[in-house]
């Protein structure tokens, strides 16, 4: 629901995973079945030789792909959503440092029950479930709208302004 709401409000989606390319069809089926919005999917090309990602660590792969994406679309702004299981917080912090004007915010699903006070989560919104994510994204989007002059308009949440 959270991702569909973003999609319905004009956000596009690009899914990046360290999973191998031969899982593309199964991942696409899973995402469609679970109600994820349509979007491009980028997966690792396993193999030997030029044009493969086999020798790259998962974090190097993700960082390189995100850097290329941000360079390809310099006018786009991105919400980065990942998890605390591996290196998403560190990768996203590096991307934000390199492309500060393009990163609207970072939301990390806390799958490791880590303390939100850990330095790796500095200036990131941690969430446990979809409801947490929805609240955190509303805060991120509203801050961005107010402070950056984006032409986006937040939806009325029906909470009376509280």
């Amino acid at each position: 629901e959270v991702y569909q709401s973003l999609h319905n409000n004009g956000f596009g989606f690009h899914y990046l995973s360290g999973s191998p390319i031969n899982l593309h069809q199964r991942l696409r089926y899973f995402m469609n079945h679970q109600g994820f919005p349509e979007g491009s999917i980028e997966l690792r090309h396993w193999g030997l030789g030029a044009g493969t990602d086999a020798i790259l660590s998962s974090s190097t792969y993700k960082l390189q792909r995100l850097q290329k994406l941000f360079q390809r679309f310099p006018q786009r702004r991105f919400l980065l959503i990942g998890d605390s299981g591996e290196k998403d917080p560190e990768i996203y912090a590096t991307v934000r440092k390199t492309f500060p004007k393009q990163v609207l915010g970072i939301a990390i699903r806390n799958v490791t029950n880590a303390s939100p006070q850990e330095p790796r989560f500095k200036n990131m919104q941690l969430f446990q479930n979809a409801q947490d994510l929805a609240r955190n994204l509303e805060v991120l989007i509203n801050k961005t709208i107010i402070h950056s002059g984006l032409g986006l308009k937040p939806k009325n949440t029906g909470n009376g302004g509280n």
Side-chain angles (χ1 to χ4, degrees):
E1 282 182 21
V2 175
Y3 295 140
Q4 282 295 342
S5 177
L6 287 170
H7 179 71
N8 294 339
N9 283 291
F11 283 84
F13 284 80
H14 181 79
Y15 301 98
L16 175 63
S17 172
S19 297
I21 190 78
N22 60 335
L23 293 181
H24 182 270
Q25 227 174 355
R26 289 179 189 259
L27 288 171
R28 179 63 76 185
Y29 173 80
F30 170 81
M31 293 170 71
N32 289 339
H33 184 69
Q34 294 298 317
F36 283 84
E38 284 292 319
S40 53
I41 300 176
E42 193 162 352
L43 302 171
R44 285 178 82 151
H45 294 272
W46 288 93
L48 301 173
T52 66
D53 303 313
I55 61 170
L56 300 176
S57 71
S58 184
S59 57
T60 301
Y61 160 78
K62 281 186 173 183
L63 179 59
Q64 287 180 357
R65 291 302 184 270
L66 286 170
Q67 289 170 332
K68 286 180 183 180
L69 181 68
F70 277 59
Q71 290 166 352
R72 180 183 285 153
F73 301 104
Q75 301 305 315
R76 288 194 187 167
R77 312 272 317 268
F78 296 85
L79 288 171
L80 301 174
I81 302 172
D83 65 61
S84 64
E86 293 183 19
K87 299 288 184 186
D88 286 355
E90 291 80 5
I91 294 165
Y92 293 174
T94 299
V95 170
R96 179 174 41 203
K97 186 176 180 181
T98 307
F99 304 96
K101 293 182 178 178
Q102 286 181 262
V103 177
L104 292 173
I106 299 171
I108 300 292
R109 183 168 182 219
N110 193 355
V111 298
T112 58
N113 292 321
S115 168
Q117 307 309 317
E118 287 185 21
R120 71 188 294 226
F121 304 126
K122 183 178 180 181
N123 298 318
M124 298 180 191
Q125 301 287 324
L126 263 64
F127 66 96
Q128 296 288 334
N129 54 46
Q131 291 79 19
D132 287 347
L133 177 60
R135 282 190 298 273
N136 288 337
L137 289 179
E138 185 175 342
V139 168
L140 286 171
I141 292 167
N142 285 334
K143 281 183 182 177
T144 301
I145 292 166
I146 292 167
H147 296 293
S148 71
L150 283 179
L152 300 173
K153 293 185 178 160
K155 287 182 111 181
N156 181 351
T157 59
N159 63 7
N162 294 328

